[in-house]
């Protein structure tokens, strides 16, 4: 069963990665297939078709999808800590100024 977690930021990030995929396919510098897979991974909780595509990949390469999910969790936690640290620093700066 798929769990929908609608998020505008995830949709924008996923569609941006998918938009980069054809450009990466034409240019030798960018890996187009990697952008396509990452875009599908980001959109997997937004759209049913992306979830189905990743389910296929998970059945074919179960270890790879699990590793990417662990990496995504670490990146989200790191981003949350970074944002919280920036908020704390900006509060201290503005508290001193005021």
């Amino acid at each position: 069963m798929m769990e929908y977690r609608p998020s505008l930021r995830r949709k924008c990030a996923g569609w941006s990665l998918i938009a980069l995929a054809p450009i990466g396919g034409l240019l030798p510098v960018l890996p187009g297939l990697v952008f396509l897979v990452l875009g599908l991974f980001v959109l997997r909780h937004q759209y049913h078709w992306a979830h189905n595509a990743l389910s296929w990949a998970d059945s074919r390469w179960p270890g790879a999808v699990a590793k990417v999910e662990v990496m995504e969790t670490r990146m989200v936690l790191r981003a949350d800590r970074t944002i919280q640290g920036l908020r704390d620093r900006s509060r201290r700066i503005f508290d001193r100024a005021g």
Side-chain angles (χ1 to χ4, degrees):
M1 182 74 185
M2 183 181 149
E3 175 186 344
Y4 284 103
R5 289 187 249 162
S7 168
L8 183 61
R9 289 188 321 184
R10 288 184 73 94
K11 286 181 182 179
C12 290
W15 282 111
S16 298
L17 288 167
I18 288 177
L20 282 174
I23 297 169
L26 296 174
L27 298 175
V29 181
L30 299 173
L33 184 62
V34 171
F35 284 121
L36 179 66
V37 172
L38 286 175
L40 287 174
F41 190 80
V42 170
L43 293 175
R44 76 189 185 282
H45 292 298
Q46 310 296 316
Y47 299 105
H48 189 68
W49 56 266
H51 180 77
N52 287 342
L54 233 42
S55 295
W56 173 81
D58 189 28
S59 66
R60 182 155 180 167
W61 302 289
V65 173
K67 287 179 185 177
V68 173
E69 286 180 352
V70 168
M71 183 178 62
E72 179 195 26
T73 303
R74 283 194 326 239
M75 289 174 62
V76 167
L77 291 174
R78 184 179 296 154
D80 287 344
R81 284 193 311 258
T82 302
I83 290 171
Q84 187 60 39
L86 290 172
R87 284 181 185 156
D88 292 343
R89 283 186 222 135
S90 63
R91 280 192 194 121
R92 283 183 279 169
I93 290 171
F94 288 119
D95 285 344
R96 287 185 209 159

Coordinates of all heavy atoms in Angstrom, one line a residue, residues 15-84:
W15 N 10.4 17.0 -10.1 CA 10.2 17.4 -11.5 C 11.4 18.1 -12.1 O 11.7 18.0 -13.3 CB 8.9 18.2 -11.6 CG 7.7 17.4 -11.6 CD1 6.7 17.4 -10.6 CD2 7.2 16.5 -12.6 NE1 5.8 16.5 -10.9 CE2 6.0 15.9 -12.1 CE3 7.7 16.0 -13.8 CZ2 5.3 14.9 -12.8 CZ3 7.0 15.1 -14.5 CH2 5.9 14.6 -14.0
S16 N 12.1 18.8 -11.2 CA 13.4 19.4 -11.7 C 14.4 18.4 -12.1 O 15.1 18.5 -13.1 CB 13.9 20.3 -10.6 OG 13.1 21.4 -10.3
L17 N 14.5 17.3 -11.3 CA 15.4 16.3 -11.6 C 15.0 15.5 -12.9 O 15.8 15.2 -13.7 CB 15.5 15.3 -10.4 CG 16.3 15.8 -9.2 CD1 16.0 14.9 -8.0 CD2 17.7 15.9 -9.5
I18 N 13.7 15.3 -13.0 CA 13.2 14.6 -14.2 C 13.4 15.5 -15.5 O 13.7 15.0 -16.5 CB 11.7 14.2 -14.1 CG1 11.7 13.0 -13.1 CG2 11.1 13.8 -15.4 CD1 10.3 12.5 -12.8
A19 N 13.3 16.8 -15.3 CA 13.5 17.7 -16.4 C 15.0 17.8 -16.8 O 15.3 18.0 -18.0 CB 13.1 19.2 -16.0
L20 N 15.9 17.5 -15.9 CA 17.3 17.5 -16.2 C 17.7 16.2 -16.9 O 18.8 16.1 -17.5 CB 18.2 17.6 -14.9 CG 18.3 19.0 -14.3 CD1 19.0 18.9 -13.0 CD2 19.1 19.9 -15.3
A21 N 16.9 15.2 -16.8 CA 17.3 13.9 -17.3 C 17.5 13.9 -18.8 O 18.5 13.4 -19.3 CB 16.2 12.8 -17.0
P22 N 16.6 14.5 -19.7 CA 16.8 14.5 -21.1 C 18.0 15.4 -21.5 O 18.8 15.1 -22.4 CB 15.5 15.1 -21.7 CG 14.6 15.3 -20.6 CD 15.3 15.0 -19.3
I23 N 18.2 16.5 -20.7 CA 19.4 17.3 -20.9 C 20.7 16.5 -20.7 O 21.7 16.5 -21.4 CB 19.3 18.6 -20.1 CG1 18.1 19.4 -20.5 CG2 20.6 19.4 -20.2 CD1 17.8 20.5 -19.5
G24 N 20.6 15.7 -19.6 CA 21.8 14.9 -19.2 C 22.0 13.8 -20.2 O 23.1 13.3 -20.4
G25 N 20.9 13.3 -20.9 CA 21.1 12.3 -21.9 C 21.8 12.9 -23.2 O 22.4 12.1 -23.9
L26 N 21.6 14.2 -23.4 CA 22.2 14.8 -24.6 C 23.7 15.3 -24.3 O 24.5 15.2 -25.2 CB 21.4 16.0 -25.1 CG 20.0 15.6 -25.6 CD1 19.2 16.9 -25.9 CD2 20.1 14.7 -26.8
L27 N 23.9 15.7 -23.1 CA 25.2 16.3 -22.8 C 26.1 15.2 -22.2 O 25.6 14.4 -21.3 CB 25.1 17.4 -21.8 CG 24.3 18.7 -22.3 CD1 24.2 19.7 -21.2 CD2 25.1 19.3 -23.5
P28 N 27.3 15.1 -22.5 CA 28.2 14.0 -22.0 C 28.6 14.3 -20.5 O 29.1 13.4 -19.8 CB 29.4 14.0 -22.9 CG 29.4 15.3 -23.5 CD 28.0 15.8 -23.5
V29 N 28.4 15.5 -20.0 CA 28.8 15.8 -18.7 C 27.8 15.4 -17.6 O 28.2 15.0 -16.5 CB 29.0 17.3 -18.6 CG1 29.5 17.7 -17.2 CG2 30.0 17.8 -19.6
L30 N 26.5 15.4 -17.9 CA 25.5 15.1 -16.9 C 25.0 13.7 -17.1 O 24.7 13.3 -18.3 CB 24.3 16.0 -17.1 CG 24.6 17.5 -16.8 CD1 23.4 18.4 -17.1 CD2 25.0 17.7 -15.4
P31 N 24.8 12.9 -16.1 CA 24.3 11.5 -16.2 C 22.7 11.6 -16.2 O 22.1 11.7 -15.2 CB 24.8 10.8 -15.0 CG 25.0 11.9 -14.0 CD 25.3 13.1 -14.7
G32 N 22.1 11.4 -17.4 CA 20.7 11.6 -17.5 C 19.9 10.5 -16.8 O 18.9 10.8 -16.2
L33 N 20.3 9.3 -16.8 CA 19.6 8.2 -16.2 C 19.6 8.4 -14.7 O 18.6 8.1 -14.0 CB 20.2 6.8 -16.5 CG 19.5 5.6 -16.0 CD1 18.1 5.5 -16.6 CD2 20.3 4.4 -16.3
V34 N 20.7 8.9 -14.1 CA 20.8 9.1 -12.7 C 19.7 10.2 -12.3 O 19.0 10.0 -11.2 CB 22.2 9.5 -12.2 CG1 22.2 10.0 -10.8 CG2 23.1 8.4 -12.5
F35 N 19.6 11.2 -13.0 CA 18.6 12.3 -12.7 C 17.2 11.7 -12.8 O 16.4 12.1 -12.0 CB 18.8 13.5 -13.6 CG 20.0 14.3 -13.3 CD1 21.0 14.6 -14.2 CD2 20.1 14.9 -12.0 CE1 22.1 15.4 -13.9 CE2 21.2 15.7 -11.7 CZ 22.2 15.9 -12.7
L36 N 17.0 10.9 -13.8 CA 15.6 10.3 -13.9 C 15.3 9.4 -12.7 O 14.2 9.5 -12.2 CB 15.5 9.5 -15.2 CG 14.2 8.8 -15.5 CD1 13.1 9.8 -15.7 CD2 14.3 7.9 -16.7
V37 N 16.2 8.6 -12.3 CA 15.9 7.7 -11.2 C 15.8 8.5 -9.9 O 14.9 8.2 -9.1 CB 17.0 6.6 -11.1 CG1 16.9 5.8 -9.8 CG2 17.0 5.7 -12.3
L38 N 16.6 9.5 -9.7 CA 16.5 10.3 -8.5 C 15.2 11.1 -8.5 O 14.6 11.2 -7.4 CB 17.7 11.3 -8.4 CG 19.0 10.6 -8.0 CD1 20.1 11.7 -8.0 CD2 18.9 10.0 -6.6
G39 N 14.8 11.6 -9.6 CA 13.5 12.3 -9.7 C 12.3 11.3 -9.4 O 11.4 11.7 -8.6
L40 N 12.4 10.1 -9.9 CA 11.3 9.1 -9.5 C 11.4 8.8 -8.0 O 10.3 8.6 -7.4 CB 11.5 7.8 -10.3 CG 11.2 7.9 -11.8 CD1 11.5 6.6 -12.5 CD2 9.7 8.2 -11.9
F41 N 12.6 8.7 -7.5 CA 12.7 8.4 -6.0 C 12.1 9.5 -5.2 O 11.4 9.3 -4.2 CB 14.2 8.2 -5.7 CG 14.4 7.7 -4.3 CD1 14.2 6.3 -4.0 CD2 14.7 8.5 -3.2 CE1 14.3 5.8 -2.7 CE2 14.8 8.1 -2.0 CZ 14.7 6.7 -1.7
V42 N 12.3 10.8 -5.6 CA 11.8 11.9 -4.8 C 10.3 12.0 -5.0 O 9.6 12.3 -4.0 CB 12.4 13.2 -5.3 CG1 11.7 14.4 -4.7 CG2 13.9 13.3 -4.9
L43 N 9.7 11.6 -6.1 CA 8.3 11.7 -6.4 C 7.5 10.4 -6.0 O 6.3 10.3 -6.1 CB 8.0 11.9 -7.9 CG 8.5 13.3 -8.4 CD1 8.3 13.4 -9.9 CD2 7.7 14.4 -7.7
R44 N 8.2 9.4 -5.4 CA 7.6 8.1 -5.1 C 6.4 8.2 -4.1 O 5.5 7.4 -4.2 CB 8.6 7.1 -4.6 CG 9.0 7.3 -3.2 CD 10.1 6.4 -2.9 NE 10.5 6.5 -1.5 CZ 11.2 7.4 -0.9 NH1 11.6 8.4 -1.7 NH2 11.5 7.4 0.3
H45 N 6.4 9.2 -3.2 CA 5.3 9.4 -2.3 C 4.3 10.5 -2.8 O 3.4 10.8 -2.0 CB 5.8 9.8 -0.9 CG 6.5 8.6 -0.3 ND1 6.0 7.4 0.0 CD2 7.8 8.6 0.1 CE1 6.9 6.7 0.6 NE2 8.0 7.3 0.7
Q46 N 4.5 11.0 -4.0 CA 3.6 12.0 -4.5 C 2.7 11.5 -5.6 O 1.6 12.0 -5.7 CB 4.5 13.2 -5.1 CG 5.6 13.7 -4.2 CD 5.1 14.3 -3.0 OE1 4.1 15.1 -3.0 NE2 5.7 14.0 -1.9
Y47 N 3.2 10.6 -6.4 CA 2.4 10.0 -7.5 C 2.4 8.5 -7.5 O 3.5 7.9 -7.2 CB 3.0 10.6 -8.8 CG 2.9 12.1 -8.9 CD1 4.1 12.8 -8.8 CD2 1.7 12.7 -9.2 CE1 4.0 14.2 -8.9 CE2 1.7 14.1 -9.3 CZ 2.8 14.8 -9.2 OH 2.8 16.2 -9.3
H48 N 1.3 7.9 -7.9 CA 1.2 6.5 -8.0 C 2.1 5.9 -9.0 O 2.7 4.8 -8.8 CB -0.3 6.1 -8.2 CG -0.5 4.6 -8.0 ND1 -0.4 4.0 -6.8 CD2 -0.8 3.7 -8.9 CE1 -0.6 2.7 -6.9 NE2 -0.9 2.5 -8.2
W49 N 2.2 6.5 -10.2 CA 3.1 6.0 -11.3 C 4.5 6.0 -10.9 O 5.3 5.1 -11.2 CB 2.8 6.8 -12.6 CG 3.1 8.2 -12.5 CD1 2.2 9.2 -12.2 CD2 4.3 8.9 -12.6 NE1 2.8 10.4 -12.2 CE2 4.1 10.3 -12.4 CE3 5.6 8.5 -12.9 CZ2 5.1 11.2 -12.5 CZ3 6.6 9.5 -12.9 CH2 6.4 10.8 -12.7
A50 N 5.0 7.0 -10.1 CA 6.4 7.0 -9.7 C 6.6 5.9 -8.6 O 7.6 5.2 -8.6 CB 6.7 8.3 -9.1
H51 N 5.6 5.6 -7.8 CA 5.7 4.6 -6.8 C 5.8 3.2 -7.5 O 6.6 2.3 -7.1 CB 4.5 4.6 -5.9 CG 4.5 3.5 -4.9 ND1 5.3 3.6 -3.7 CD2 3.8 2.4 -4.8 CE1 5.1 2.5 -3.0 NE2 4.2 1.7 -3.6
N52 N 5.0 3.0 -8.6 CA 5.0 1.8 -9.3 C 6.4 1.6 -10.0 O 6.9 0.5 -10.0 CB 3.9 1.7 -10.4 CG 2.6 1.5 -9.7 OD1 2.5 1.1 -8.6 ND2 1.5 1.8 -10.5
A53 N 6.9 2.6 -10.6 CA 8.2 2.5 -11.2 C 9.3 2.2 -10.2 O 10.2 1.3 -10.5 CB 8.6 3.8 -11.9
L54 N 9.3 2.7 -9.0 CA 10.3 2.4 -8.0 C 10.0 1.0 -7.4 O 11.0 0.4 -7.0 CB 10.3 3.4 -6.9 CG 11.6 4.0 -6.6 CD1 12.4 4.3 -7.9 CD2 11.6 5.2 -5.8
S55 N 8.8 0.6 -7.4 CA 8.5 -0.8 -6.9 C 9.1 -1.8 -7.9 O 9.7 -2.8 -7.4 CB 7.0 -1.1 -6.9 OG 6.4 -0.2 -5.9
W56 N 9.1 -1.5 -9.2 CA 9.8 -2.4 -10.1 C 11.3 -2.4 -9.9 O 11.9 -3.5 -9.8 CB 9.5 -1.9 -11.5 CG 10.3 -2.7 -12.6 CD1 10.0 -3.9 -13.1 CD2 11.5 -2.2 -13.1 NE1 11.0 -4.2 -14.0 CE2 11.9 -3.2 -14.0 CE3 12.3 -1.1 -13.0 CZ2 13.1 -3.1 -14.8 CZ3 13.5 -1.0 -13.7 CH2 13.9 -2.0 -14.6
A57 N 11.9 -1.2 -9.6 CA 13.3 -1.2 -9.4 C 13.6 -1.9 -8.1 O 14.7 -2.5 -7.9 CB 13.7 0.3 -9.3
D58 N 12.8 -1.8 -7.1 CA 13.0 -2.4 -5.8 C 13.0 -3.9 -5.9 O 13.7 -4.7 -5.3 CB 12.0 -1.9 -4.8 CG 12.3 -2.4 -3.4 OD1 13.5 -2.6 -3.1 OD2 11.4 -2.6 -2.5
S59 N 12.1 -4.4 -6.8 CA 12.0 -5.9 -6.9 C 13.3 -6.4 -7.7 O 13.7 -7.5 -7.5 CB 10.7 -6.3 -7.7 OG 10.7 -5.8 -9.0
R60 N 13.8 -5.5 -8.6 CA 15.0 -5.9 -9.4 C 16.3 -5.8 -8.6 O 17.2 -6.6 -8.7 CB 15.0 -5.1 -10.6 CG 16.1 -5.5 -11.5 CD 15.9 -5.2 -12.9 NE 17.0 -5.7 -13.7 CZ 17.1 -5.8 -14.9 NH1 16.0 -5.5 -15.6 NH2 18.2 -6.2 -15.5
W61 N 16.4 -4.6 -7.9 CA 17.6 -4.3 -7.1 C 17.2 -4.0 -5.7 O 17.2 -2.8 -5.3 CB 18.4 -3.2 -7.7 CG 18.8 -3.4 -9.1 CD1 19.8 -4.2 -9.6 CD2 18.3 -2.7 -10.3 NE1 19.8 -4.1 -10.9 CE2 18.9 -3.2 -11.4 CE3 17.3 -1.8 -10.5 CZ2 18.7 -2.8 -12.7 CZ3 17.0 -1.4 -11.8 CH2 17.7 -1.9 -12.8
P62 N 16.9 -4.9 -4.8 CA 16.4 -4.6 -3.5 C 17.4 -3.9 -2.6 O 17.1 -3.0 -1.8 CB 16.0 -6.0 -2.9 CG 16.7 -7.0 -3.7 CD 16.9 -6.3 -5.1
G63 N 18.6 -4.2 -2.7 CA 19.7 -3.6 -1.9 C 19.9 -2.2 -2.2 O 20.1 -1.3 -1.3
A64 N 19.8 -1.8 -3.5 CA 20.1 -0.5 -3.9 C 19.1 0.5 -3.4 O 19.4 1.6 -3.0 CB 20.2 -0.4 -5.4
V65 N 17.8 0.1 -3.6 CA 16.7 1.0 -3.2 C 16.8 1.2 -1.6 O 16.6 2.4 -1.2 CB 15.3 0.5 -3.6 CG1 14.2 1.3 -3.1 CG2 15.3 0.5 -5.1
A66 N 17.0 0.2 -0.9 CA 17.1 0.3 0.6 C 18.3 1.3 1.0 O 18.1 2.1 1.9 CB 17.3 -1.0 1.2
K67 N 19.4 1.2 0.3 CA 20.5 2.1 0.6 C 20.2 3.5 0.3 O 20.5 4.4 1.0 CB 21.8 1.7 -0.2 CG 22.4 0.4 0.3 CD 23.6 0.0 -0.6 CE 24.2 -1.3 -0.2 NZ 25.3 -1.7 -1.0
V68 N 19.5 3.8 -0.8 CA 19.1 5.1 -1.2 C 18.1 5.7 -0.2 O 18.1 6.8 0.2 CB 18.5 5.2 -2.6 CG1 17.9 6.5 -2.9 CG2 19.6 4.8 -3.6
E69 N 17.2 4.8 0.3 CA 16.2 5.3 1.3 C 16.9 5.7 2.6 O 16.6 6.7 3.3 CB 15.2 4.2 1.6 CG 14.2 4.1 0.5 CD 13.1 3.1 0.7 OE1 13.2 2.3 1.7 OE2 12.2 3.0 -0.1
V70 N 18.0 4.9 3.0 CA 18.7 5.2 4.2 C 19.5 6.6 4.0 O 19.5 7.4 4.9 CB 19.7 4.1 4.6 CG1 20.7 4.5 5.6 CG2 18.9 2.9 5.0
M71 N 20.1 6.7 2.8 CA 20.8 8.0 2.5 C 19.8 9.2 2.5 O 20.2 10.2 3.0 CB 21.4 7.8 1.1 CG 22.2 9.1 0.8 SD 23.1 8.9 -0.8 CE 21.7 8.8 -1.9
E72 N 18.6 9.0 2.0 CA 17.6 10.1 2.0 C 17.3 10.5 3.4 O 17.2 11.6 3.8 CB 16.4 9.6 1.3 CG 15.3 10.7 1.3 CD 13.9 10.2 0.9 OE1 13.6 9.0 1.1 OE2 13.2 11.1 0.4
T73 N 17.1 9.5 4.3 CA 16.8 9.8 5.7 C 17.9 10.5 6.4 O 17.7 11.5 7.1 CB 16.5 8.5 6.5 OG1 15.5 7.7 5.8 CG2 16.2 8.7 7.9
R74 N 19.1 10.1 6.1 CA 20.3 10.9 6.7 C 20.3 12.3 6.2 O 20.6 13.2 6.9 CB 21.6 10.1 6.4 CG 21.9 8.9 7.2 CD 23.3 8.5 7.1 NE 23.9 8.7 5.8 CZ 24.3 7.7 5.0 NH1 24.3 6.5 5.4 NH2 24.8 8.0 3.8
M75 N 20.1 12.5 4.9 CA 20.1 13.8 4.3 C 19.0 14.7 4.9 O 19.3 15.9 5.1 CB 20.0 13.7 2.8 CG 21.3 13.2 2.1 SD 21.1 12.9 0.4 CE 20.8 14.6 -0.2
V76 N 17.8 14.2 5.1 CA 16.8 15.0 5.6 C 17.1 15.4 7.1 O 16.9 16.5 7.4 CB 15.4 14.2 5.6 CG1 14.3 14.8 6.4 CG2 15.0 14.1 4.1
L77 N 17.6 14.5 7.9 CA 18.0 14.8 9.2 C 19.1 15.8 9.3 O 19.1 16.8 10.1 CB 18.4 13.5 10.0 CG 17.3 12.5 10.3 CD1 17.9 11.2 10.9 CD2 16.2 13.1 11.2
R78 N 20.1 15.7 8.4 CA 21.2 16.7 8.3 C 20.6 18.0 7.9 O 21.1 19.1 8.5 CB 22.2 16.2 7.4 CG 23.4 17.1 7.3 CD 24.5 16.6 6.4 NE 25.0 15.3 6.8 CZ 25.5 14.4 6.0 NH1 25.6 14.6 4.7 NH2 26.0 13.3 6.5
A79 N 19.7 18.1 7.0 CA 19.2 19.4 6.5 C 18.4 20.0 7.7 O 18.4 21.2 7.9 CB 18.3 19.2 5.3
D80 N 17.6 19.2 8.4 CA 16.8 19.7 9.5 C 17.8 20.3 10.6 O 17.5 21.4 11.1 CB 16.0 18.7 10.2 CG 14.8 18.3 9.3 OD1 14.5 19.1 8.4 OD2 14.2 17.2 9.5
R81 N 18.9 19.6 10.9 CA 19.8 20.1 11.9 C 20.5 21.4 11.4 O 20.6 22.4 12.1 CB 20.9 19.1 12.2 CG 20.5 18.0 13.0 CD 21.7 17.2 13.6 NE 22.6 16.8 12.5 CZ 22.6 15.6 12.0 NH1 21.8 14.6 12.4 NH2 23.5 15.3 11.0
T82 N 20.8 21.5 10.1 CA 21.4 22.7 9.5 C 20.4 23.9 9.6 O 20.8 25.0 10.0 CB 21.8 22.5 8.1 OG1 22.7 21.4 8.0 CG2 22.5 23.7 7.5
I83 N 19.2 23.7 9.2 CA 18.2 24.7 9.2 C 18.0 25.2 10.7 O 17.9 26.4 10.9 CB 16.9 24.2 8.6 CG1 17.1 24.1 7.1 CG2 15.7 25.2 8.9 CD1 16.0 23.4 6.4
Q84 N 17.9 24.3 11.6 CA 17.7 24.6 13.0 C 18.9 25.4 13.5 O 18.7 26.4 14.2 CB 17.5 23.4 13.9 CG 17.1 23.7 15.3 CD 15.8 24.5 15.4 OE1 14.9 24.3 14.7 NE2 15.8 25.5 16.3

